[in-house]
Amino acid sequence: MNIQKQHEAHRGFTLLETCIAMVSLMVVLTGVVPLCVYAIKYNSAAAIRAGAITVAQRKLEQLRADPFTSCISSSEVMTIGPTTGSQTYTVDVTVTDVSASLKNIKIVVTPQGRSTSGSVYEGNEGWMRGQVIVYTKRTTLGAGSNLG
């Protein structure tokens, strides 16, 4: 009789309890795994867009620092980030003369390795691809009509 009471005191989980625990764990993981994939996808897209915005800002500051007459259309490649894990971007600058003292400037920054034909940037997830377009105007320095 004493042996039977000791055996009952050392009972573990039954096979049914283990199966129920595994099923409930699988239900929870089925909900959590897509959230992790979603987070990784959107964090990567945010990093690419942040790099593209940084490149656009650098180019805009360079155009503002240059003299008005040297503000011309160009295309170049810029790399942002450390040596490992850096991202390379294509920067296209389009300058249109509006008048002798005013220019319209369009800066398009596209991460390399992605199509600029438009198909990749269409639809609900087009913003994630990292392309950034900045529109600005540039004018000559001079005294306006309200001065003096």
Side-chain angles (χ1 to χ4, degrees):
M1 189 105 179
N2 192 14
I3 295 175
Q4 188 177 9
K5 285 185 179 181
Q6 272 185 336
H7 181 65
E8 288 179 10
H10 294 291
R11 290 182 63 190
F13 294 109
T14 64
L15 185 59
L16 181 62
E17 291 170 333
T18 306
C19 287
I20 290 172
M22 292 298 289
V23 166
S24 62
L25 181 65
M26 287 177 64
V27 167
V28 169
L29 287 178
T30 302
V32 171
V33 168
L35 291 176
C36 292
V37 170
Y38 176 85
I40 290 169
K41 179 180 176 182
Y42 284 93
N43 281 338
S44 298
I48 291 171
R49 280 193 60 80
I53 290 169
T54 301
V55 169
Q57 183 177 9
R58 284 184 184 179
K59 189 62 181 175
L60 188 59
E61 289 172 359
Q62 178 187 353
L63 289 171
R64 287 181 179 163
D66 290 344
F68 180 78
T69 55
S70 66
C71 187
I72 57 172
S73 297
S74 65
S75 183
E76 63 182 286
V77 175
M78 293 178 128
T79 302
I80 296 293
T83 307
T84 57
S86 63
Q87 176 70 45
T88 304
Y89 299 90
T90 302
V91 182
D92 294 315
V93 178
T94 306
V95 179
T96 308
D97 292 328
V98 176
S99 67
S101 62
L102 181 66
K103 294 182 179 186
N104 286 333
I105 302 171
K106 177 182 175 183
I107 302 171
V108 180
V109 180
T110 306
Q112 281 194 348
R114 290 172 173 79
S115 170
T116 58
S117 63
S119 60
V120 175
Y121 300 102
E122 293 175 353
N124 294 335
E125 296 184 353
W127 65 271
M128 290 181 7
R129 306 293 185 238
Q131 188 177 42
V132 173
I133 302 174
V134 177
Y135 297 95
T136 188
K137 295 183 183 289
R138 174 82 192 269
T139 185
T140 59
L141 294 176
S145 59
N146 295 326
L147 186 65

